[in-house]
Amino acid sequence: MRKLKKLASLLLALVMCFGLTCTAFASSSGVTPEVGSITITNAYEGETYKVYKLLDLTYNTSGTSYAYSIDPTSEWYDFFTTGDGAGYVSVDVTTYQVTWTGGETGTGSQAEAFAKAALAYAEANNISPTATDVADDSGTLTFSGLEYGYYLIDSSLGTVLTLDSTDPDVKVTDKNTAPTVDKTVVEDTGGAYGDSNTADVGEVVSFRIVINNGYASTNLVLHDTLSAGLTLNENSFEVHIGSSLASADNTVDSSYYTITTSGLTDGCTFEIAFEDSFTTDVLTDSQLIIVTYTATVNSDAVIYGDGNSNETYASYGNDSESTSDKTTTYVYELYVYKYTETTDANTSVTTETALSGAKFVLYKEVNGTNYYAVLDSDGKISSWTTYKTQDDIDEAYANGDIDYDTYIAAVPATELETDDTGLVYFGGLDAGTYYLEETEAPDGYNLLNAATTITIAQDGTISGAKTVTYDNGDEYTAIKVYNGSTAEMPSTGGIGTTIFYVVGGVLVVGAVVVLITRKRMNKD
């Protein structure tokens, strides 16, 4: 409909006349063949513009009287006499004069229908345009040497331009507006759409693209490129139209578009090509195209840094392109540093020492349930589980809480152990609140009696994190977890009592030796 409205305003500016370019009546006694020009301003660089002469036109020098006629040998003759055009004009078969009979000119559904019929006839009958040209970067395109007549102007953008017929040298403004795309992503905290979000590795992220098609209706293709850290869920696509996001509840039939996710040579992850019949006959000026889909954050996701981008743009017409738009999904990480402190008795200097052998699990709370982190071999999140240990899984199965298939598939939390650096690493985290639980303390140290609360902000800042610097210059921003050991319990008694035990023992042994010696001597 959008195409037809523009076409109608071009072809059917008939209140004043039935023509687009103008004829000058050179004398009162006859018709002087003249030529004029059509200049298109605001022409889109690289787009093709075509003009079709439908009717001959003459008018007097004062510009108050117009006469339209059709040459019986014209390719358009059947259109106006026996084709769809006959419903809007009458043709005098003797003089071949043409008169508009389709009601008020230039407005309404009659004008739109007439315009649609004219274009369809040209395409169906392979009628070549009177002139064709491609716009350059000047924004102006002129067709010169055109005989006066009634012209239709079409463009590769799929819309037709409005003309005025009061001057032989007509200036026409291309009122097409290039398609625009607006891409947003859902932030799981609050569910609002925005230009960026944060996510775990393994999380499913929802994207939305809004296409405002403008007046550029043909060859509309949406191009989208996901970074390596995002995996497209190919069965997640939905396409709707509506006058606003709130009213975009009309599902577009899949016959109106084709989704391609493989074999693309332009580096895109997917493309959606819309049929011209959809953009010209179904989509109206006021409607938006809304495309939604999901992707899963994978283990290749960029941690911190520039994040994981998802960029989109639309191509249209003769490979013109809209401005691109993109979203960014940020993924974060957490280092934990386990240490103790020792104080020199002579200098009172306190020194930090990294502790190996401390074991931890990380969990988050969702609706009152603890979900423990399961990590891959690189220390990145691969999934979340409600089971802290294998014993918990075994118990759930023994109690009949889970079936056998669930039991086999279930995995416990990944338990990380600090090495000589005192560090453990959790990668691929969303912004949010987490809890670090120590499951085993190093030998000789006390187990922490409560989990450590850790908060990662939307910008990746970790509350309470400190810089840990090693002798080799390596630095880590980490949550520091202190472990202390309990002093040795005091023993009872003192050296005075102990010496009596020792001496007493020696005396007893000596007495036994003397007794045995005397018994042997008596026997002798």
Side-chain angles (χ1 to χ4, degrees), residues 170-237:
V170 178
K171 289 187 177 180
V172 181
T173 299
D174 186 343
K175 296 181 179 179
N176 294 321
T177 56
T180 61
V181 293
D182 178 47
K183 183 160 199 172
T184 51
V185 61
V186 173
E187 171 54 56
D188 53 6
T189 304
Y193 281 91
D195 293 332
S196 65
N197 73 318
T198 63
D200 295 322
V201 170
E203 184 175 336
V204 175
V205 179
S206 297
F207 296 93
R208 181 179 69 193
I209 304 171
V210 179
I211 307 171
N212 187 337
N213 194 34
Y215 299 140
S217 303
T218 61
N219 302 326
L220 179 65
V221 180
L222 180 69
H223 305 257
D224 198 279
T225 304
L226 283 73
S227 62
L230 297 168
T231 302
L232 175 67
N233 298 320
E234 296 186 8
N235 295 323
S236 64
F237 288 100

Side-chain angles (χ1 to χ4, degrees), residues 244-256:
S244 66
L245 289 174
S247 63
D249 52 3
N250 296 318
T251 301
V252 177
D253 190 281
S254 59
S255 64
Y256 284 127

Side-chain angles (χ1 to χ4, degrees), residues 147-165:
E147 294 181 356
Y148 292 155
Y150 180 27
Y151 284 87
L152 177 154
I153 304 177
D154 193 15
S155 77
S156 55
L157 294 175
T159 55
V160 200
L161 312 178
T162 302
L163 291 181
D164 191 342
S165 59

Side-chain angles (χ1 to χ4, degrees), residues 303-304 332-336 359-363 372-375 378-381 384 414-417 423-429 434-437 454 456 462:
I303 307 298
Y304 280 101
Y332 300 126
E333 65 188 0
L334 169 67
Y335 282 93
V336 175
K359 296 181 180 180
F360 296 95
V361 294
L362 185 73
Y363 67 91
Y372 295 88
V374 179
L375 309 177
D378 295 322
K380 293 182 180 180
I381 301 294
W384 296 88
T414 299
E415 187 178 54
L416 296 183
E417 182 176 354
L423 291 172
V424 291
Y425 172 77
F426 299 90
L429 295 174
Y434 299 91
Y435 302 92
L436 182 73
E437 179 181 344
I454 300 169
I456 303 177
I462 301 175

